[in-house]
C-alpha cells in the first residue's frame, strides 16, 4: 500500500483517494462492537477524560456494560498499549444501544452539551488509524464492516478526508489538514 511522507507523518494514499460516509442504519454501529476482546486504542492523555466519562455515562448504559465499567474501569492494558474495556469480548464498555444501533455514550453526552470531550481520538478518526511509529503512520483501515460506508460515500461523493476532517483537525490541527487537502488536490490535479 503506497504512502506519502507528509509533515512528519507517513500517510496512506488511500486516505486521499477513498470515499466514505458512515451509514449507521446499515452497519448498526459495528465498529463499536467488533468481537475480539480489545477495545478502541487509547492515548495516555485521554485517560482523565475516560475516567470522568466512566462516572457520567452509566445512566445511558444497559446493566451489563454499567456493571463491567464499575468493576473494571474504562481502560485496560499497559502504558502505550491501552484500549477501552470490552463487554464479554465484544462491544466497547461505552456502547449504548438506540433503535438497534450501537452508539457511543460519551459522544451522546458530548452532543447534548453534557460532556466536554467527544470520545477517544481513535474512535473519532475511524476508519483512519494512527500508528505510533517513527514517523507516525496514518493509515486507512479498510474493513468489511464499513462496506456500507464506502458505498454511501461513493454514491454521495464524500471523500474520506472530508468525512473525518474534524477528527483529523483534532489530531493534527487545521493547518495540517488544509495542507494535506492541498496535496490531494495537486495529486489529483
Amino acid at each position: 500500500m503506497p504512502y506519502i511522507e507528509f509533515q512528519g507523518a507517513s500517510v496512506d494514499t488511500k486516505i486521499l483517494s477513498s470515499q466514505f460516509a458512515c451509514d449507521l442504519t446499515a452497519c448498526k454501529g459495528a465498529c463499536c462492537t467488533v468481537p475480539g476482546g480489545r477495545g478502541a486504542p487509547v492515548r495516555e492523555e485521554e485517560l482523565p477524560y475516560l475516567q470522568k466519562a466512566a462516572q457520567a455515562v452509566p445512566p445511558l448504559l444497559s446493566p451489563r456494560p454499567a456493571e463491567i465499567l464499575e468493576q473494571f474501569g474504562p481502560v485496560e492494558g499497559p502504558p502505550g498499549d491501552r484500549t477501552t474495556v470490552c463487554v464479554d469480548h465484544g462491544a466497547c464498555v461505552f456502547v449504548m444501544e438506540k433503535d438497534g444501533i450501537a452508539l457511543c455514550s460519551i459522544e451522546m453526552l458530548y452532543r447534548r452539551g453534557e460532556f466536554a470531550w467527544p470520545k477517544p481520538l481513535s474512535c473519532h478518526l475511524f476508519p483512519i488509524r494512527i500508528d505510533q511509529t517513527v514517523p507516525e503512520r496514518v493509515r486507512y483501515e479498510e474493513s468489511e464492516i464499513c462496506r456500507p460506508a464506502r458505498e454511501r460515500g461513493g454514491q454521495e461523493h464524500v471523500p474520506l478526508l472530508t468525512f473525518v476532517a474534524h477528527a483529523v483537525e483534532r489530531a493534527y490541527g487545521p493547518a495540517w489538514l488544509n495542507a494535506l487537502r492541498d496535496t490531494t488536490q495537486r495529486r489529483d490535479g
Side-chain angles (χ1 to χ4, degrees):
M1 147 179 13
Y3 284 82
I4 61 167
E5 298 307 312
F6 180 77
Q7 295 189 4
S10 184
V11 179
D12 184 344
T13 57
K14 285 186 176 182
I15 293 169
L16 309 178
S17 60
S18 299
Q19 297 189 337
F20 193 95
C22 279
D23 188 349
L24 289 175
T25 59
C27 75
K28 308 293 185 202
C31 59
C32 298
T33 63
V34 175
R38 295 223 65 206
V42 174
R43 294 175 174 222
E44 295 300 312
E45 62 268 21
E46 295 178 318
L47 294 177
Y49 296 105
L50 288 164
Q51 294 295 339
K52 289 178 186 172
Q55 301 302 309
V57 301
L60 300 176
L61 303 176
S62 60
R64 182 72 177 144
E67 173 188 313
I68 296 289
L69 191 57
E70 184 176 334
Q71 186 176 358
F72 297 104
V75 176
E76 62 186 1
D81 190 30
R82 298 194 196 271
T83 63
T84 58
V85 169
C86 289
V87 177
D88 302 324
H89 303 286
C92 171
V93 74
F94 288 104
V95 166
M96 59 179 278
E97 191 174 308
K98 184 175 181 186
D99 301 325
I101 297 173
L103 300 170
C104 177
S105 58
I106 301 170
E107 183 177 19
M108 183 65 67
L109 290 178
Y110 175 78
R111 287 178 183 235
R112 291 180 185 172
E114 297 172 20
F115 201 71
W117 184 71
K119 60 183 168 182
L121 182 60
S122 67
C123 301
H124 200 184
L125 278 168
F126 194 79
I128 292 177
R129 293 289 192 201
I130 299 174
D131 297 331
Q132 301 295 310
T133 57
V134 177
E136 232 173 33
R137 189 167 72 141
V138 185
R139 63 182 171 84
Y140 174 32
E141 187 173 298
E142 195 168 345
S143 171
E144 180 57 28
I145 62 173
C146 292
R147 183 180 41 76
R150 290 190 299 277
E151 291 171 357
R152 180 178 175 200
Q155 291 165 354
E156 297 178 9
H157 307 289
V158 179
L160 171 58
L161 194 55
T162 298
F163 181 77
V164 296
H166 187 257
V168 171
E169 282 187 0
R170 220 179 121 192
Y172 292 105
W176 194 93
L177 173 62
N178 290 332
L180 186 59
R181 283 181 170 150
D182 290 345
T183 298
T184 303
Q185 290 172 349
R186 282 194 307 274
R187 263 183 90 238
D188 297 342

